[in-house]
């Protein structure tokens, strides 16, 4: 039993130092002996009771002096050990050192707030960094604090709840070649696989895909006639949402789109799948829309929700086998259209031809949408010129200075 300076019993773990300061000791759940101090005995008892309660309820932390820099080393070397590739690991280190550590690295984990994280992301935005960089910072911090919370270095995650919206006017979502391979390998054999293939191989708008009928497909000429679109909306006079078929978005949207070999295979399989769906006893096609090529499992027309959910299921399956930091970002059906256009530019197809494929009213619209791709295309084209110039050899070095 502990005593004060006058010999009065204070209780187990309590005592008083010669300078009059009271102290209380206990061993926490981490096996660490903790000592609390106060010049006021009642204040010390309150602090002690709170600390013991938090320890029993597992609300306390293992080390209140750990900084973000300290824990990042633990996170990258221990939590990510053999989880991520070495080049990925180096990429995380670079992002952390460049964008996170200078602002938050020296701060204690316990002191970092949601406002600080938001301020960091806003600062990156003001510096002109795009969505990908800002979101990488966000998901890294989210995972770091998740691991810190799991092992009791903090008692809350200040990044949880912080969301970023992609500025669609500035940045469009395009699947990288790696993401495209990953998505279609995972989607193979699923109900909407043919739809996904036709979408990414033609660049059709979602509504144009929903409206396709077998009559729009000419496998001999290897082309698709785009002449209508299908929407699921409530128009004036409707009692609720319903399907409406109408002309495409613009005059230029009426077009012929070539069929690639992959697209042809998918279309042929879809025509067979359509017959199977409509032959089921539970098929419930909607009157006026029985001729559609792409249908739901019940034979009804498709809409944005059905399409989006189908894509989301594939992405969720992919991400269920990935480390949080390497997960694929969710995307909408329109992403396939942007991916198609990007692959066209990468293949060296002229912008005017891409405009025709996409059904854009003007070439300027195509160029504005895919500036990031066309800039890369310009660079690759000038490299072709340089390659040709190297074959033109002069007898003297005319360019020597």
């Amino acid at each position: 039993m502990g005593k004060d300076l006058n010999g009065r019993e204070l209780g187990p773990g309590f005592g008083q130092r010669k300078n009059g300061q009271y102290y209380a000791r206990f061993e926490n759940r981490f096996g660490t002996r903790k000592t609390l101090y106060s010049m006021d005995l009642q204040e010390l008892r309150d602090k002690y009771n709170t600390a013991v309660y938090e320890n029993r309820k597992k609300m306390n932390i293992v080390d209140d002096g750990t900084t973000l820099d300290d824990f990042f080393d633990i996170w990258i070397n221990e939590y990510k050990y053999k989880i991520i590739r070495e080049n990925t690991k180096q990429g995380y280190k670079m992002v952390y050192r460049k964008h996170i550590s200078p602002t938050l690295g020296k701060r204690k984990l316990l002191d970092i707030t949601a406002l600080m994280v938001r301020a960091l992301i806003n600062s990156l935005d003001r510096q002109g960094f795009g969505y990908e960089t800002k979101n990488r910072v966000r998901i890294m911090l989210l995972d770091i604090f998740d691991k810190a919370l799991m092992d009791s270095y903090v008692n809350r995650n200040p990044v949880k709840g912080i969301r970023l919206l992609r500025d669609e006017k500035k940045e469009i979502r395009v699947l990288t070649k790696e993401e495209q391979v990953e998505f279609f390998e995972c989607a193979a054999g699923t109900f909407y696989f043919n739809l996904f293939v036709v979408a990414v191989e033609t660049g059709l708008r979602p509504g144009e895909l929903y409206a396709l009928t077998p009559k729009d497909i000419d496998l001999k000429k290897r082309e698709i006639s785009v002449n209508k679109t299908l929407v699921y909306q409530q128009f004036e006079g409707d009692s609720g949402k319903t399907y409406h078929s109408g002309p495409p978005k613009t005059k230029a949207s009426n077009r012929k789109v070539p069929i690639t070999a992959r697209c042809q295979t998918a279309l042929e399989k879809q025509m067979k799948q359509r017959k199977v769906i409509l032959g089921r006893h539970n098929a419930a096609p909607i009157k006026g829309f029985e001729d559609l090529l792409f249908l739901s499992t019940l034979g009804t027309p498709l809409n944005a929700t059905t399409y989006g959910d189908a894509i989301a299921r594939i992405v969720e399956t992919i991400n269920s086998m990935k480390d949080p930091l390497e997960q694929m970002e969710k995307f909408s059906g329109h992403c396939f259209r942007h991916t198609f256009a990007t692959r066209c530019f990468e293949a060296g197809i002229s912008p005017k031809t891409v405009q025709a494929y996409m059904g854009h009213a003007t070439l300027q619209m195509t160029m504005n949408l895919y500036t990031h791709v066309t800039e890369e295309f310009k660079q690759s084209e000038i490299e072709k010129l340089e390659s040709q110039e190297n074959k033109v050899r002069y007898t003297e070095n005319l360019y020597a200075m």
Side-chain angles (χ1 to χ4, degrees), residues 103-303:
T103 303
L104 299 177
K106 302 304 178 187
R107 290 187 175 274
K108 295 177 181 178
L109 289 176
L110 283 176
D111 295 338
I112 296 175
T113 64
L115 179 60
M116 292 177 184
V117 176
R118 173 58 67 183
L120 169 61
I121 293 172
N122 289 344
S123 175
L124 293 173
D125 185 71
R126 294 186 189 100
Q127 294 174 58
F129 288 101
Y131 173 86
E132 299 297 341
T133 298
K134 292 181 290 185
N135 198 47
R136 176 54 59 91
V137 166
R138 182 189 70 85
I139 61 175
M140 280 182 64
L141 285 172
L142 181 67
D143 195 66
I144 288 170
F145 275 97
D146 268 347
K147 299 303 185 290
L149 181 62
M150 183 172 67
D151 272 344
S152 300
Y153 279 85
V154 294
N155 45 31
R156 88 264 183 267
N157 187 337
V159 192
K160 204 171 186 67
I162 293 179
R163 296 287 182 268
L164 293 180
L165 294 177
R166 182 185 290 275
D167 188 342
E168 297 294 349
K169 292 182 179 179
K170 294 181 180 178
E171 300 178 62
I172 57 175
R173 176 78 165 98
V174 173
L175 296 179
T176 65
K177 291 176 182 177
E178 292 76 16
E179 286 178 324
Q180 188 173 340
V181 169
E182 197 167 30
F183 180 90
F184 281 91
E185 285 183 348
C186 182
T190 61
F191 184 80
Y192 292 108
F193 178 72
N194 298 327
L195 173 67
F196 300 149
V197 173
V198 175
V200 84
E201 292 287 325
T202 63
L204 267 62
R205 299 178 179 93
E208 295 170 343
L209 285 166
Y210 310 155
L212 284 180
T213 67
K215 291 181 180 178
D216 299 321
I217 314 299
D218 191 328
L219 294 178
K220 290 184 179 179
K221 291 184 178 180
R222 296 190 68 179
E223 64 181 19
I224 297 173
S225 295
V226 182
N227 49 54
K228 54 190 172 301
T229 189
L230 182 67
V231 296
Y232 182 64
Q233 292 179 6
Q234 181 177 357
F235 287 174
E236 187 175 352
D238 294 337
S239 58
K241 280 188 174 183
T242 187
Y243 291 97
H244 294 274
S245 180
K249 189 175 181 181
T250 65
K251 185 178 179 181
S253 297
N254 281 281
R255 62 199 189 277
K256 305 282 189 182
V257 179
I259 295 174
T260 64
R262 287 178 181 173
C263 182
Q264 178 163 344
T265 300
L267 287 169
E268 291 171 345
K269 288 183 177 179
Q270 184 59 30
M271 289 178 185
K272 293 177 182 177
Q273 181 172 305
R274 175 180 174 274
K275 291 180 180 179
V276 172
I277 295 169
L278 294 176
R280 291 174 177 170
H281 71 279
N282 65 339
I286 296 175
K287 187 176 181 180
F289 298 97
E290 302 92 341
D291 294 336
L292 297 177
L293 176 62
F294 293 107
L295 301 165
S296 73
T297 54
L298 295 177
T300 55
L302 300 184
N303 56 52

Side-chain angles (χ1 to χ4, degrees), residues 49 82 90 106 120 137 160 177 186 341 362 378 390 395:
N49 289 335
K82 288 191 174 180
Q90 295 308 315
K106 302 304 178 187
L120 169 61
V137 166
K160 204 171 186 67
K177 291 176 182 177
C186 182
T362 66
K378 287 179 189 176
N390 289 336
T395 55

Side-chain angles (χ1 to χ4, degrees), residues 89-105:
K89 183 176 178 180
Q90 295 308 315
Y92 293 158
K93 285 183 176 180
M94 187 214 38
V95 170
Y96 181 81
R97 289 167 183 163
K98 182 177 180 180
H99 300 305
I100 301 175
S101 182
T103 303
L104 299 177

Side-chain angles (χ1 to χ4, degrees), residues 83-85 88 92 139 319 322-328:
I83 298 296
I84 56 177
R85 298 182 296 272
T88 304
Y92 293 158
I139 61 175
N319 288 342
K322 280 179 169 283
D323 180 77
L325 292 179
E326 294 188 293
Q327 293 195 349
M328 181 181 290

